[in-house]
Amino acid sequence: MSGPYPIRGSVSLPEAELQWRFSRSSGPGGQHVNTSDSQVELRFDLAATDALPEVWKARALERLASRLVNGVVTVRASEHRSQWRNRETAAVRLAALLAEATAPPPKPRRPTKIPRGINERRLREKKQRSETKRTRQSRDWS
């Protein structure tokens, strides 16, 4: 592993709270696939962790509710042939997932008002176009 994976600011994933599981992966690798455990499953107990501030933890539990099983978030990686690269991928993916889940909500949008000049210009152009079309009509059918 290449060290701690930062979530945001000075908060990072605690190595002691990460649970790793390895299994045989499908996909590329030929005969090597049948003998090596290259698929990685990374589990992080979000509900029991003390590494995240309480506000972040509550926000993450709410946003990741559909992904959690008993308060534990799971990430799988099996795209690479080596277990080491799959471990890196899973840890980075988990850190990104937690960073997104703990991000503060966006500021509410302040609705803007259309300037009066723009509205008046639009109505003036509509009136001019209407006048152009009206003058094209020929009413002399007799």
Side-chain angles (χ1 to χ4, degrees):
M1 294 293 295
S2 69
Y5 292 93
I7 296 175
R8 212 171 56 249
S10 63
V11 179
S12 61
L13 281 174
E15 188 67 37
E17 293 185 19
L18 300 178
Q19 299 169 351
W20 300 93
R21 232 177 97 205
F22 309 101
S23 59
R24 292 193 178 135
S25 174
S26 62
Q31 294 173 354
H32 174 69
V33 159
N34 302 328
T35 60
S36 64
D37 294 340
S38 61
Q39 178 174 313
V40 174
E41 185 178 282
L42 176 58
R43 297 166 56 95
F44 179 66
D45 194 350
L46 186 59
T49 188
D50 292 328
L52 298 176
E54 285 301 316
V55 176
W56 288 19
K57 190 159 93 170
R59 202 180 290 154
L61 285 169
E62 180 185 331
R63 290 182 181 167
L64 297 175
S66 62
R67 285 193 67 150
L68 297 176
V69 177
N70 297 329
V72 178
V73 64
T74 305
V75 175
R76 280 199 184 125
S78 64
E79 12 333 305
H80 303 291
R81 289 173 63 173
S82 82
Q83 185 186 98
W84 184 80
R85 286 182 65 193
N86 282 331
R87 282 176 67 120
E88 290 284 316
T89 303
V92 167
R93 222 184 272 164
L94 179 63
L97 181 72
L98 290 175
E100 188 178 326
T102 59
K107 291 181 181 176
R109 182 184 168 275
R110 247 186 60 217
T112 55
K113 214 174 153 185
I114 298 174
R116 200 173 83 198
I118 291 176
N119 204 27
E120 287 174 356
R121 185 178 69 205
R122 182 183 62 86
L123 292 174
R124 192 170 50 249
E125 288 171 358
K126 275 182 74 164
K127 204 171 279 189
Q128 188 177 356
R129 182 77 179 144
S130 169
E131 185 62 30
T132 303
K133 287 189 169 194
R134 198 175 62 73
T135 57
R136 287 184 189 157
Q137 292 176 353
S138 62
R139 298 203 177 152
D140 195 19
W141 292 321
S142 53

